[in-house]
Amino acid sequence: MAERTVRVVVAKPGLDGHDRGAKIVARALRDAGFEVIYTGLHQTPEQIVTTAVQEDADAIGLSVLSGAHNYLFKRVLELLKEKGAEDVVVFGGGIIPPEDIAALKTLGVKELFTPGTSTQDIVRFVRQHVRAAV
Amino acid sequence: MSDTREPEAKRRGSVGSKTPERSVRFESLSGIPIKALYTPADLTGKSYEERLGAPGEYPFTRGVYPTMYRGRPWTMRMFAGFGCPEDTNARFKYLLAQGQTGLSTAFDMPALMGYDADHPRARGEVGKEGVSISTLDDFERLFADIPLGEVTTSMTINCTASVALAMYLVVAEKQGVAWDRVGGTMQNDMLKEFIAQKEWICPPEPAVRIVTDMIEFTSKHVPRFNPVSISGYHIREAGSTAVQELAFTLADGLAYVDAALARGLDVDSFAPRLSFFFDIHNDFFEEIAKLRAARRMWARFMKERFGAKKPESMRLRTHTQTAGVSATAQQPLNNVARVAIQALAAVLGGAQSLHTNSYDETWALPTEDAVTVALRTQQIIAEETGVALTIDPLGGSYYLEKLTDQMEEAALGYVRTIDAMGGMIRAIDAGYPQKEIADAAYRYQLMDDRGEKVVVGVNKYVMKEERPINFLKIDETVELEQIEKVRRFKASRDARRVERRLAQLADACTNGQNLMPVLIDAVRDYASLGEVADVYRRVFGLYREPIIF
């Protein structure tokens, strides 16, 4: 039986309004054949996790350029755990210094993409690391 | 009547034809085709007076003032803000001591979105993207020992700009500075928020009403203040082309003029204080042409569309900033070169004010060292290069004048489209500029991904190992301290007085009176930024953007 299409939620958590990258990632993933739900701006971690659970998402991509990444990524991971949705792959990007990247990956963020990343890198990542839930 | 008319192929067949043209795209960043050579033949059809005129005279193509930098250099105004007010106050003082000539304030996301530091939605964000400001007390600490009668301050703040203005005026009052001596700029350009920067509380109509209140109020009471900085910077940073940036910015300006006229204001009473803000990106000549086209277009709109009589009403004065999106995280020192070239374009384009980015800003807010280099870049241009010794030195260049004409024509096309939609507010409702920007951003990214556009250090001249640099880090204790200060401040006020003032503000919102006097009263009685924003949320409702990507 064919796998269903991988579903990715692309989200902008917190108050940060810089959505150029998130929109490009959403579009690139859609063009690559994934199902994409773009949440829009100013989402709380609660809203994002609720959307991901409701939409049966296989992955959440978070975009944070405001410096609030440590709190926001951590909160999303915590909430996924609370909801028993720990197998949702969390990845993201934005303005995140190297030492914070390392710390976030230790917490469970699968990958973080920083400025200069090509959309193809992100598409490849999702293809390789995200499976549609059976 | 000879060489200038010869077809390209024949010209290429002459001396030097052993080097055929490279296979790169010969076009500007916004896609305008670029020829090998420009000649007088490219500039037929208009007289010097029509196309250019003198600096300080209609249509202001060559500059808004008669003496430009020969009289006074552009203002060196470095955008600064982080942590708690004391941190930013110290950076302000440092930059002034290093020779900058105006202040520019970056606020944190909670302040920009209308949340006090102690609000749950401010969690993780306090002091990170700019200075944390919730109360009048914060504002006083931000401007401690800075004479508001002598220094002008620009504030990058939009849906809560009304609160910032109220607080700034009350701080000036406390310093004993009369409002008619207070100078500065509020960015306060809500239309570009819906289009690009995305900081909003309420929908476009009430947002524009507040902007118009501030235009009206300052025209009467704070005459040296620019109540709006009609901005293209954010539109460009969100991914538009230079032509779209030019068109959408001016179209936003037209909408504000319409709104103020609908209020019953006389155009010459407020137009002189409408100011602008453009991005300065990599394509050197295109950016210079963009500023010149902007001045000419705005002058014509003000004169022909709105019947302005005063030359001051027709003058497009602009702040500029080197393009944040053009900076790279890889090999960050390369950004020093990018910024220098962009800064030069701003100066040759006749900007009134300039911020130069720091080389580390793709990673974090600037360190003191990095911001010093950025400021010195401007000072070197001003003092060492000689470019400011004459006005509009590139005027008359066949290429530049042709490019200016072409940008004007292309931008007018977009303005006509927006006019046909019923103006910018209708265009925003229809999602038009947002879609144009998303499409342009995507196209640009694909060119990057495919290497069709070279980004030095990122897709060409890449270095595997890079030397790490030190970034500015905002300590997590800033948030805790600010929260504590806000709580103490709120506890020490006359709570009933604040409540009454906020109720009066809510009334003013609904009965259509100018908000500013009521708001200033509320701020004097210590209403916080978040509390005022809450009134706006309650009375005007929340904006929900269309999902476009």
Side-chain angles (χ1 to χ4, degrees):
Chain A
M1 177 152 75
E3 250 184 35
R4 68 152 174 78
T5 312
V6 163
R7 243 179 234 154
V8 183
V9 166
V10 173
K12 287 289 304 175
L15 304 177
D16 174 25
H18 297 93
D19 59 2
R20 176 176 180 168
K23 288 184 172 199
I24 285 172
V25 169
R27 193 156 159 176
L29 291 175
R30 186 182 64 193
D31 286 356
F34 301 108
E35 256 183 65
V36 178
I37 300 111
Y38 173 57
T39 64
L41 291 164
H42 315 137
Q43 301 290 297
T44 62
E46 288 76 9
Q47 285 170 323
I48 293 168
V49 171
T50 301
T51 301
V53 168
Q54 270 171 11
E55 296 285 343
D56 239 336
D58 306 301
I60 300 174
L62 300 173
S63 158
V64 185
L65 285 83
S66 61
H69 46 272
N70 287 328
Y71 169 70
L72 293 166
F73 274 90
K74 183 155 162 272
R75 191 73 190 115
V76 166
L77 289 170
E78 278 167 9
L79 287 166
L80 284 170
K81 192 168 177 183
E82 273 173 39
K83 300 270 168 99
E86 277 163 291
D87 39 355
V88 174
V89 173
V90 176
F91 68 103
I95 303 293
I96 305 174
E99 59 272 26
D100 291 351
I101 292 177
L104 287 170
K105 280 175 147 176
T106 309
L107 280 182
V109 178
K110 191 79 183 174
E111 190 56 269
L112 284 166
F113 297 100
T114 46
T117 303
S118 80
T119 55
Q120 291 321 296
D121 288 343
I122 298 173
V123 167
R124 237 187 324 266
F125 165 81
V126 174
R127 280 227 171 86
Q128 282 167 15
H129 296 278
V130 184
R131 286 280 159 270
V134 175
Chain B
M1 271 310 146
S2 54
D3 298 327
T4 57
R5 297 281 180 91
E6 289 196 295
E8 280 293 292
K10 182 155 188 212
R11 196 201 57 77
R12 275 196 299 248
S14 57
V15 178
S17 63
K18 283 195 187 112
T19 320
E21 293 190 335
R22 296 175 284 139
S23 55
V24 300
R25 280 180 200 241
F26 288 102
E27 56 185 40
S28 77
L29 256 187
S30 58
I32 298 174
I34 299 177
K35 300 192 302 185
L37 191 70
Y38 290 76
T39 68
D42 288 299
L43 301 184
T44 54
K46 284 202 181 102
S47 68
Y48 173 85
E49 283 70 31
E50 248 187 290
R51 189 183 257 117
L52 302 182
E57 284 176 27
Y58 184 90
F60 301 100
T61 318
R62 306 202 72 179
V64 280
Y65 300 124
T67 59
M68 287 299 291
Y69 310 137
R70 286 171 65 108
R72 197 178 71 183
W74 63 93
T75 306
M76 299 182 188
R77 195 183 283 284
M78 300 296 281
F79 193 36
F82 55 91
C84 63
E86 285 81 356
D87 293 331
T88 302
N89 180 265
R91 180 61 69 89
F92 278 171
K93 285 167 174 156
Y94 175 77
L95 289 168
L96 288 171
Q98 293 312 316
Q100 89 165 357
T101 44
L103 293 178
S104 177
T105 319
F107 296 92
D108 71 359
M109 286 313 307
L112 294 174
M113 293 298 290
Y115 296 105
D116 290 334
D118 62 348
H119 193 284
R121 297 211 62 182
R123 185 77 200 276
E125 315 243 24
V126 176
K128 292 276 170 60
E129 214 182 89
V131 65
S132 168
I133 296 287
S134 306
T135 67
L136 181 63
D137 185 52
D138 288 328
F139 237 81
E140 286 185 83
R141 288 185 283 127
L142 179 61
F143 291 103
D145 315 313
I146 291 173
L148 297 191
E150 288 161 46
V151 181
T152 58
T153 305
S154 178
M155 280 170 267
T156 296
I157 187 164
N158 292 274
C159 63
T160 43
S162 52
V163 191
L165 178 61
M167 288 187 176
Y168 193 69
L169 292 177
V170 173
V171 172
E173 211 169 66
K174 290 188 178 217
Q175 282 186 3
V177 178
W179 288 353
D180 61 9
R181 275 183 54 218
V182 171
T185 301
M186 277 298 155
Q187 190 167 87
N188 196 29
D189 169 9
M190 281 311 300
L191 292 176
K192 67 95 170 58
E193 295 304 321
F194 299 112
I195 295 170
Q197 187 164 234
K198 317 287 174 90
E199 291 159 17
W200 54 63
I201 294 171
C202 50
E205 252 111 29
V208 172
R209 173 267 178 90
I210 298 174
V211 171
T212 313
D213 280 358
M214 292 168 70
I215 291 173
E216 183 179 32
F217 182 82
T218 56
S219 74
K220 297 186 173 121
H221 304 287
V222 201
R224 294 184 61 214
F225 207 85
N226 304 307
V228 258
S229 178
I230 303 162
S231 305
Y233 180 82
H234 319 80
I235 291 172
R236 188 64 183 277
E237 295 287 298
S240 83
T241 65
V243 169
Q244 290 167 334
E245 178 195 347
L246 175 58
F248 296 164
T249 305
L250 295 188
D252 285 346
L254 298 177
Y256 291 126
V257 176
D258 279 332
L261 293 176
R263 178 71 69 92
L265 302 179
D266 177 69
V267 68
D268 289 311
S269 75
F270 65 85
R273 278 291 170 201
L274 298 176
S275 67
F276 289 79
F277 173 25
F278 284 102
D279 201 327
I280 306 290
H281 209 293
N282 281 333
D283 190 318
F284 186 74
F285 290 108
E286 186 172 70
E287 298 301 283
I288 297 168
K290 182 180 76 187
L291 295 187
R292 296 165 98 256
R295 282 192 292 271
R296 186 161 71 211
M297 289 171 73
W298 186 249
R300 290 225 172 93
F301 283 133
M302 292 310 293
K303 184 173 190 206
E304 294 170 12
R305 187 180 286 221
F306 298 115
K309 299 280 180 298
K310 284 161 58 173
E312 293 84 346
S313 299
M314 305 177 213
R315 272 187 327 208
L316 183 147
R317 298 164 306 127
T318 187
H319 173 65
T320 49
Q321 174 165 341
T322 59
V325 284
S326 69
T328 60
Q330 293 74 10
Q331 302 173 37
L333 289 178
N334 294 345
N335 296 322
V336 177
R338 292 188 177 101
V339 167
I341 294 164
Q342 291 161 356
L344 183 61
V347 170
L348 292 173
Q352 280 49 71
S353 169
L354 175 60
H355 162 93
T356 32
N357 289 335
S358 298
Y359 63 80
D360 54 358
E361 285 194 74
T362 48
W363 289 106
L365 297 183
T367 58
E368 202 174 81
D369 282 350
V371 80
T372 308
V373 171
L375 176 58
R376 296 282 180 256
T377 302
Q378 294 197 46
Q379 291 164 335
I380 288 165
I381 292 173
E383 311 274 5
E384 297 183 5
T385 66
V387 301
L389 296 180
T390 188
I391 300 169
D392 189 35
L394 293 182
S397 147
Y398 306 123
Y399 177 39
L400 183 67
E401 297 303 354
K402 181 67 179 177
L403 196 51
T404 304
D405 288 354
Q406 286 174 304
M407 292 197 71
E408 179 178 8
E409 203 184 303
L412 281 174
Y414 279 105
V415 175
R416 266 181 242 117
T417 300
I418 291 165
D419 278 344
M421 291 176 145
M424 193 42 116
I425 298 178
R426 297 282 85 78
I428 288 169
D429 286 342
Y432 171 69
Q434 301 94 312
K435 185 81 170 74
E436 286 291 305
I437 289 169
D439 287 349
Y442 197 62
R443 278 197 307 271
Y444 197 92
Q445 183 64 43
L446 291 183
M447 285 176 73
D448 257 1
D449 287 352
R450 293 172 187 153
E452 284 168 19
K453 180 192 279 79
V454 173
V455 184
V456 172
V458 176
N459 61 17
K460 197 170 176 181
Y461 312 115
V462 176
M463 294 169 80
K464 281 268 125 73
E465 296 299 318
E466 290 200 37
R467 247 171 290 142
I469 60 174
N470 291 319
F471 312 122
L472 186 77
K473 289 193 185 50
I474 309 296
D475 207 272
E476 296 301 329
T477 58
V478 166
E479 183 161 308
L480 300 169
E481 282 167 13
Q482 281 302 108
I483 291 173
E484 186 45 43
K485 284 192 184 123
V486 169
R487 293 209 175 118
R488 263 190 274 129
F489 180 88
K490 286 179 176 172
S492 70
R493 308 173 296 181
D494 180 343
R496 291 250 283 277
R497 243 195 132 101
V498 174
E499 238 181 84
R500 260 203 313 274
R501 290 298 189 194
L502 292 173
Q504 284 167 4
L505 178 62
D507 283 341
C509 288
T510 38
N511 68 28
Q513 68 187 92
N514 193 306
L515 293 183
M516 284 311 299
V518 186
L519 180 50
I520 291 168
D521 282 340
V523 159
R524 272 200 203 99
D525 282 338
Y526 307 115
S528 75
L529 180 146
E531 286 164 343
V532 171
D534 279 340
V535 171
Y536 294 161
R537 279 181 198 108
R538 258 195 345 263
V539 177
F540 296 126
L542 297 178
Y543 179 67
R544 294 253 29 195
E545 54 164 344
I547 298 291
I548 296 169
F549 65 98

